[in-house]
Amino acid sequence: VFGWGITKWENPGMEYWMVMTAPKESKDPGINGGLLKRPGVAPIGGAAVNAFVCTVQVENYDDIHGKIIAAGGTIALPKFAFPGMAWQGYYKDTEGNIFGLHQTDSSAK
């Protein structure tokens, strides 16, 4: 959905995936990091958030919304305005993890 590069890091005894949100040595903003396999069961639908929720800043909220839905994601909290500042909304990925979208827009209301 976001165009990130995700590759498995080969390390015996540990399943770890490298996530590159911007090319190495790039001047583009991004947070490069990784993902570990969930050590327990997936969150139960409707349960309160019990972890850090990542929010991704995007240029066009509606375009990314369409990509999320097409990729199997669902809406957790519909798009809403921070009046005079931005659009915000939250989604669940195909494994039930919640993440946010944020589009700066001074005309949001």
Side-chain angles (χ1 to χ4, degrees):
V1 168
F2 299 108
W4 298 346
I6 302 174
T7 56
K8 188 171 185 181
W9 182 48
E10 297 302 329
N11 183 16
M14 178 186 210
E15 187 171 340
Y16 188 82
W17 297 83
M18 301 295 296
V19 180
M20 301 299 288
T21 63
K24 196 171 188 176
E25 308 301 328
S26 171
K27 300 290 184 199
D28 292 331
I31 299 174
N32 297 329
L35 296 171
L36 295 168
K37 186 174 182 177
R38 183 191 315 275
V41 298
I44 297 170
V49 174
N50 63 359
F52 176 76
V53 176
C54 294
T55 296
V56 179
Q57 185 170 345
V58 298
E59 293 292 323
N60 187 308
Y61 187 104
D62 296 330
D63 285 350
I64 299 300
H65 165 87
K67 290 179 180 181
I68 291 168
I69 300 304
T74 59
I75 298 169
L77 183 63
K79 179 181 176 181
F80 62 92
F82 285 121
M85 187 174 91
W87 294 104
Q88 184 81 22
Y90 293 89
Y91 296 83
K92 287 186 180 182
D93 68 14
T94 57
E95 295 181 4
N97 302 300
I98 296 174
F99 64 96
L101 287 187
H102 180 94
Q103 177 192 332
T104 301
D105 183 352
S106 61
S107 66
K109 54 184 173 181

